[in-house]
Amino acid sequence: MVVERLCTPILIGKKTAPNRIVNQPMECNDGDERGNPTERTYERYRRLAKGGAGVIVVESLTISSESRARKNQLRISEETAPGLETLVREMREQNDRSIILFQLNHSGRHSGAAFSKVVSLYPLEDRTIHLLTEEEIEEIGRRFVESALLAKEVGADGIDFKHCHGYFCGEMTRPANTRGDRFGGSFENRTRFFRETLKEMKKRIGDDSFLIGLRFSVYEGIPGGFGTSGPEEVIEELHEPLLFAQMAEEAGVDYLNVSAGIPAITHEIVRPTRSYPEGVYRHFGWAKAVKARVRIPVIGSGYSYLRDGQNDLKESDTAKKSFLYWAEKNLRDGNVDLVGIGRQSLADPLFAKKVLGGELDRIDYCKACGGCSVLLRSQREVGCTLYDPYYRDLLRQCRKDQA
């Protein structure tokens, strides 16, 4: 098949991505005890940079050591800034064309109770979980702003403001957030944190060439989740997510990265699987719906499952259910501007280079085996358990420990 649109450059804000492939942020839990990158971290990102994707999003960096989802999650702070600066420098030594973004996150109620503090934006059945005060929320906003400034200082091209997968910012926007103060209840209140924090980021950074993007889950698949019409509703209703997309564009966001679901709860919405392959079509539809409402670039998700067409989609022609077919088709049809790969970037960090170079027969395709997810849930270092012996051994040990 011909690579026609994937290799086309695209302007994002005031920066140009050399192609339309995006390495989505993939948490690998291999920082040190303070959240600094380790040699394993550096090596992973050197290889991703060598792979030459148009945009490389560095995995979820916690803005708070107090509330984080991974025991060895990378952290962005004054303390870790030198290590992050080294990370960017080493990536650029491999490839100085790709746009490098840092994803910033606060884990909220998905923080690990064994090693950090679990907090929530609204009351839960478990009354032992700390309910954030208005002042604490404002402090989290300040940390996001300071983290964005640090990202610029250490050389990143921009940040991804994480509003997906059930973490703090995603929890904030959902209808189930019925707080009685200015951060809950109405759609205006539930999006106030985003608007005010983004405005302060842009003011403090003072450089419109520094990109600020937004990855968000358009439908979470839980009662009262984003993409429903009320605190107890479950039926998909995209009215608010599409309003949010328009609001983000008007507020000055440079791109939208469309995702869905919550990995810890509704994982098959997040990642198409063998048991629900048609989930990839839902991702295409969500990205198309967002794209129809905005003019800024839109990144689509779900593409790793497609691989070379060896998947469980109900299509007799293998070529017509492959990554290359659907990436080119969705770009050609104007349904999306860039296509994102997550698990596939773990399986083969050189994926983009091989696709764009016509070396499709040399790609190590993700088989959606779920080994990387097992490692992540088990708080182990994360990588491809199919192609990398190190992670294969980790998975074997992990399963042995759980037996």
Side-chain angles (χ1 to χ4, degrees), residues 257-308:
N257 193 345
V258 180
S259 189
I262 302 170
I265 303 173
T266 54
H267 66 277
E268 287 200 338
I269 295 179
V270 183
R271 301 181 293 264
T273 64
R274 295 170 182 170
S275 59
Y276 183 42
E278 292 78 12
V280 73
Y281 296 147
R282 297 187 73 186
H283 276 277
F284 296 164
W286 288 319
K288 179 180 179 180
V290 172
K291 178 60 184 171
R293 293 292 189 98
V294 300
R295 296 179 299 277
I296 56 177
V298 172
I299 302 168
S301 300
Y303 287 84
S304 289
Y305 177 77
L306 297 167
R307 44 190 183 270
D308 56 353

Side-chain angles (χ1 to χ4, degrees), residues 244-362:
F244 187 50
Q246 290 176 293
M247 174 189 295
E249 179 179 39
E250 292 167 2
V253 159
D254 293 297
Y255 70 84
L256 294 170
N257 193 345
V258 180
S259 189
I262 302 170
I265 303 173
T266 54
H267 66 277
E268 287 200 338
I269 295 179
V270 183
R271 301 181 293 264
T273 64
R274 295 170 182 170
S275 59
Y276 183 42
E278 292 78 12
V280 73
Y281 296 147
R282 297 187 73 186
H283 276 277
F284 296 164
W286 288 319
K288 179 180 179 180
V290 172
K291 178 60 184 171
R293 293 292 189 98
V294 300
R295 296 179 299 277
I296 56 177
V298 172
I299 302 168
S301 300
Y303 287 84
S304 289
Y305 177 77
L306 297 167
R307 44 190 183 270
D308 56 353
Q310 299 299 320
N311 56 54
D312 297 302
L313 290 171
K314 307 306 184 285
E315 164 61 59
S316 58
D317 186 346
T318 301
K320 289 186 176 181
K321 54 180 183 173
S322 68
F323 166 86
L324 187 55
Y325 173 82
W326 277 106
E328 287 286 325
K329 176 175 170 53
N330 283 332
L331 289 168
R332 181 175 64 251
D333 293 348
N335 297 334
V336 73
D337 298 291
L338 302 101
V339 297
I341 57 165
R343 292 172 290 175
Q344 180 58 57
S345 69
L346 294 182
D348 194 339
L350 304 183
F351 176 78
K353 181 178 182 180
K354 292 176 181 178
V355 168
L356 300 175
E359 301 177 291
L360 302 181
D361 58 341
R362 295 188 59 243

Side-chain angles (χ1 to χ4, degrees), residues 28-40:
C28 288
N29 196 37
D30 56 17
D32 68 14
E33 67 278 2
R34 296 184 179 276
N36 291 291
T38 62
E39 180 52 37
R40 185 167 296 279

